[in-house]
Amino acid sequence: MIARRHIVFGIVLTVAALGAGGCFEFFANQSASLGGDIAGVRGNVRVLFINNTDYRAVFTYGSYDQTDPAYGPDYEQSGLTEPDVLLEGGESTSITPGSSRAFIECARVFSVGSEDLLELIRQNLPDDDFLESAMVEGVEFFEIPAEDEEDSPTEPISRGAAPPFEALLGVDFPCNALLIIRFEIDDFGPNPFRIDFEMIPSDSDR
């Protein structure tokens, strides 16, 4: 009986060791604070996008709870032709308090163009007036023809995309942090563009 217990205990330890990384991420994500000062109220995260490419970036970003299929994501968009929500090449978004696009409700997943985020928006927020042009997986980049050039194309030209990005609460960021997202040209990866991520906690001196 003692030998059998030792065998069972050894199996348990082996399974625990194999799954330690994934389990840590799961429990850290599920137990992390949602940042509100009042029970049931969520905090926010600030988001700064820096477009280090030569092209207009078109995408949807937001936050959602992956364990709640009825969750309505808090999201914003950067469109293709809509003047108030453009992110041109070489430009960045604002993180001033008056900018509504800078603050996203804190949830367990922050996403830029993931399939799950887009699906939750379509399923749970069907009456929202979202930009269909920005409902793309990842980030799509467009060259905008100059209006004063003769015989130039008149429509935006797609120059490729960066794959979707996701960060997990408690693993990659806490609530009330500043999330910095950089769009970069990727000369060596499988995609022409990539997304770089940096997180600055709310109590940082930076």
Side-chain angles (χ1 to χ4, degrees):
M1 177 67 94
I2 293 177
R4 186 176 180 181
R5 288 180 181 174
H6 285 173
I7 293 172
V8 173
F9 184 67
I11 293 173
V12 171
L13 285 180
T14 301
V15 172
L18 290 173
C23 288
F24 170 78
E25 290 188 2
F26 175 81
F27 287 114
N29 179 251
Q30 297 304 310
S31 62
S33 169
L34 291 172
D37 295 327
I38 302 173
V41 177
R42 295 173 183 258
N44 295 301
V45 290
R46 287 186 301 160
V47 188
L48 170 63
F49 288 94
I50 302 173
N51 187 359
N52 287 328
T53 79
D54 295 328
Y55 309 109
R56 181 176 294 173
V58 176
F59 59 101
T60 297
Y61 65 99
S63 60
Y64 68 94
D65 284 350
Q66 77 274 46
T67 57
D68 184 358
Y71 189 85
D74 186 24
Y75 71 96
E76 296 286 348
Q77 297 180 290
S78 282
L80 179 57
T81 58
E82 296 75 15
D84 294 334
V85 288
L86 298 180
L87 180 56
E88 303 287 9
E91 296 186 356
S92 61
T93 59
S94 172
I95 56 173
T96 60
S99 174
S100 61
R101 300 177 70 201
F103 292 86
I104 291 291
E105 183 178 72
C106 193
R108 304 204 180 280
V109 181
F110 170 79
S111 168
V112 181
S114 72
E115 182 180 358
D116 288 342
L117 173 66
L118 301 178
E119 185 65 20
L120 285 172
I121 293 172
R122 291 188 187 280
Q123 286 188 353
N124 298 338
L125 302 172
D127 296 329
D128 275 16
D129 189 22
F130 51 77
L131 302 176
E132 191 61 44
S133 65
M135 296 291 282
V136 297
E137 290 193 25
V139 181
E140 192 165 1
F141 295 88
F142 289 85
E143 181 179 350
I144 308 302
E147 295 181 358
D148 57 352
E149 292 185 5
E150 294 185 4
D151 300 324
S152 66
T154 57
E155 298 295 327
I157 305 168
S158 176
R159 292 306 185 193
F165 170 82
E166 287 195 337
L168 298 180
L169 178 68
V171 178
D172 302 307
F173 70 94
C175 289
N176 304 314
L178 169 62
L179 310 184
I180 301 175
I181 308 295
R182 292 183 174 87
F183 299 147
E184 305 283 355
I185 294 175
D186 194 346
D187 293 325
F188 304 104
N191 300 287
F193 303 93
R194 71 174 189 270
I195 296 175
D196 289 349
F197 172 74
E198 179 183 359
M199 186 276 294
I200 299 177
S202 60
D203 56 357
S204 172
D205 295 330
R206 294 177 59 185

